[in-house]
Amino acid sequence: PGRAMWAAGAARGAALAAAAAVTAVALAVAAWRRARPVREVLFFPSRPCCIEALLAEAAEPGAPARPCPCPLPSGDTALSRLVRRLLSARRSLDLCLFSFSCPQLARAVQLLHRRGVRVRLVTDAQYMGLHGSQIGRLRRAGIQVRHDQHSGYMHHKFAIVDRRMLITGSLNWTTQAIQSNRENVLVVEDAEYVKAFQDEFERIWEEYNPANYRFF
Amino acid sequence: PGRAMWAAGAARGAALAAAAAVTAVALAVAAWRRARPVREVLFFPSRPCCIEALLAEAAEPGAPARPCPCPLPSGDTALSRLVRRLLSARRSLDLCLFSFSCPQLARAVQLLHRRGVRVRLVTDAQYMGLHGSQIGRLRRAGIQVRHDQHSGYMHHKFAIVDRRMLITGSLNWTTQAIQSNRENVLVVEDAEYVKAFQDEFERIWEEYNPANYRFF
């Protein structure tokens, strides 16, 4: 019996040690995941998808999900990943976009604005007035928009989330580009790259200050 | 005299140790520079500049520089930096470009092709025939070109040098974009990002294989 008791104790001890080890590894992995900067590449075209669930969750975190009646799948696509990254904004969203006509992305931006995120948007003067442009809608919602006054294009297509995460690539924010074109978007959480783009954004934001507009 | 000799010997020893330390630091810095991956952001518009000296040096390394008679400055600009990165190719250059009409960049690509670098170029069918396009010239020079057959655009604007360095951004390779637009180009020497784009390039290269072209 002494020997059996010893064996049982040893087994219990080994099980406890194993459980502790598993917990330690799990905690380390979780910490590493949290600390690891985001590095992602999204390629388009994206399969069309429904982002209602993403928007609803961002508008009212934890609210019971209401299924969307639309026929689109709500799976994991390049578009849904892009929307997720944008909706992660808590303090600021700086947008520098040549053309912006995708209603789904406009709804995500509007939602962030309503949630109190400071949204600033720079765009191209020649493209902001085109059919389908979402710029007017965003302005009416109270979002600050500035545009160039040049003959050259304001051709950037980047977003900076919370001055921390850079989202940049070839993709204009149009449904045509998202669903039909070969496009790329990099998601980069790297202080050096983010700083370069944040500085460019601030330069453009000041240069396009309406106080400097000239009326020909 | 014994004391003076000792002092002189100690001074000599200290000087030698200091020299060794300086050399060690210099070697370490040089090694770190070599090993440090390229991370660069280029913003456009670029001041117009002459790239003849860069092309001449790449065509005939070490040859005496002949001054160019053109009136443009040959300083450090976003364009000259982009050209330098391209001309660093030794084995391969994979290009995936929506539109390519800048003659300066076409000359750089042609030079690499002549130097034995394996150049592959993917472009957009609707844009390759536009006025000023350099695609015909590059094809006639013997460079392999493939294009899409879709109504959507092949809208990427990236280059991969030696399967090692990714050059990507909003910039189309047109003189208008380089000299007049607000544009960005990232230069990234990072295996993870490069692999994602290299894989995308190989997918497109195969998909656009002329053996798969359909004639409507």
Side-chain angles (χ1 to χ4, degrees):
Chain A
R3 195 157 172 172
M5 268 178 69
W6 176 88
R12 208 164 26 230
L16 276 172
V22 166
T23 310
V25 167
L27 285 173
V29 166
W32 176 75
R33 281 229 175 105
R34 264 199 307 280
R36 193 174 54 151
V38 173
R39 303 160 57 85
E40 196 173 22
V41 184
L42 307 175
F43 289 112
F44 295 79
S46 172
R47 280 173 293 124
C49 70
C50 174
I51 61 163
E52 293 307 314
L54 287 180
L55 293 173
E57 170 64 23
E60 238 184 303
R66 275 172 305 182
C68 176
C70 87
L72 293 174
S74 58
D76 183 37
T77 67
L79 174 62
S80 72
R81 282 172 177 238
L82 175 59
V83 169
R84 250 179 230 281
R85 294 298 181 199
L86 293 173
L87 291 177
S88 76
R90 289 296 169 268
R91 290 174 304 281
S92 67
L93 179 65
D94 293 322
L95 300 170
C96 203
L97 297 168
F98 173 55
S99 71
F100 189 169
S101 60
C102 171
Q104 289 175 301
L105 291 174
R107 285 185 57 205
V109 170
Q110 226 175 315
L111 194 152
L112 290 171
H113 171 67
R114 272 203 305 275
R115 217 167 61 182
V117 170
R118 183 196 184 200
V119 179
R120 295 184 291 174
L121 170 50
V122 166
T123 192
D124 183 78
Q126 281 118 304
Y127 269 67
M128 63 188 271
L130 292 195
H131 183 71
S133 169
Q134 297 291 311
I135 301 296
R137 166 186 178 171
L138 294 172
R139 271 198 160 141
R140 283 190 296 278
I143 291 172
Q144 294 182 75
V145 177
R146 296 186 178 179
H147 59 78
D148 66 314
Q149 277 217 324
H150 310 124
S151 56
Y153 289 130
M154 201 314 292
H155 202 242
H156 287 305
K157 311 108 175 27
F158 70 81
I160 307 174
V161 173
D162 291 340
R163 306 178 75 90
R164 185 184 43 81
M165 186 195 292
L166 169 66
I167 299 173
T168 188
S170 66
L171 184 82
N172 289 310
W173 286 21
T174 72
T175 304
Q176 135 87 17
I178 291 166
Q179 294 186 359
S180 311
N181 291 0
R182 287 275 186 172
E183 306 271 6
N184 64 78
V185 170
L186 278 93
V187 186
V188 182
E189 211 174 28
D190 173 288
E192 205 177 322
Y193 286 118
V194 170
K195 184 182 184 315
F197 279 78
Q198 189 73 55
D199 289 350
E200 171 77 351
F201 184 87
E202 304 297 346
R203 268 193 301 272
I204 296 180
W205 187 251
E206 272 322 300
E207 188 182 319
Y208 295 178
N209 189 326
N212 302 330
Y213 288 174
R214 282 160 295 123
F215 298 92
F216 304 100
Chain B
R3 197 161 173 171
M5 268 176 71
W6 177 87
R12 211 165 24 232
L16 276 171
V22 166
T23 310
V25 167
L27 284 173
V29 167
W32 176 76
R33 283 232 173 102
R34 265 198 307 280
R36 193 173 55 149
V38 173
R39 304 160 57 85
E40 197 174 19
V41 184
L42 306 175
F43 290 112
F44 294 79
S46 172
R47 280 173 294 125
C49 70
C50 174
I51 61 164
E52 292 308 313
L54 287 179
L55 294 173
E57 170 64 22
E60 239 184 302
R66 273 172 307 179
C68 177
C70 88
L72 293 174
S74 57
D76 183 38
T77 66
L79 174 61
S80 72
R81 280 171 180 239
L82 175 59
V83 169
R84 252 179 229 281
R85 293 298 180 201
L86 294 172
L87 291 177
S88 75
R90 290 295 170 268
R91 290 175 301 282
S92 67
L93 178 66
D94 293 322
L95 301 170
C96 205
L97 296 168
F98 174 53
S99 71
F100 190 168
S101 61
C102 171
Q104 289 176 302
L105 290 173
R107 286 184 57 205
V109 170
Q110 226 176 315
L111 193 153
L112 290 170
H113 170 67
R114 272 203 307 274
R115 217 165 62 182
V117 170
R118 184 197 184 199
V119 179
R120 295 184 293 174
L121 169 51
V122 166
T123 192
D124 183 77
Q126 280 117 304
Y127 268 67
M128 62 187 275
L130 292 196
H131 182 72
S133 168
Q134 298 290 311
I135 301 297
R137 167 187 177 170
L138 295 171
R139 270 198 160 141
R140 284 190 296 279
I143 291 171
Q144 293 183 76
V145 177
R146 295 185 179 179
H147 59 78
D148 66 313
Q149 275 217 324
H150 311 125
S151 56
Y153 289 129
M154 201 313 293
H155 201 244
H156 287 305
K157 310 107 174 33
F158 70 82
I160 307 172
V161 172
D162 291 340
R163 305 177 76 90
R164 183 183 44 80
M165 186 196 293
L166 170 66
I167 298 172
T168 189
S170 65
L171 184 82
N172 290 309
W173 286 21
T174 72
T175 304
Q176 135 87 17
I178 291 166
Q179 294 186 358
S180 310
N181 291 0
R182 287 274 186 175
E183 307 271 5
N184 65 76
V185 170
L186 278 93
V187 185
V188 183
E189 211 174 29
D190 173 289
E192 206 175 321
Y193 286 118
V194 170
K195 184 181 184 314
F197 279 78
Q198 188 74 54
D199 289 351
E200 171 76 351
F201 183 88
E202 304 296 346
R203 271 193 299 273
I204 297 181
W205 187 251
E206 271 323 300
E207 188 183 320
Y208 295 179
N209 189 326
N212 302 330
Y213 288 172
R214 284 156 295 123
F215 298 92
F216 303 99

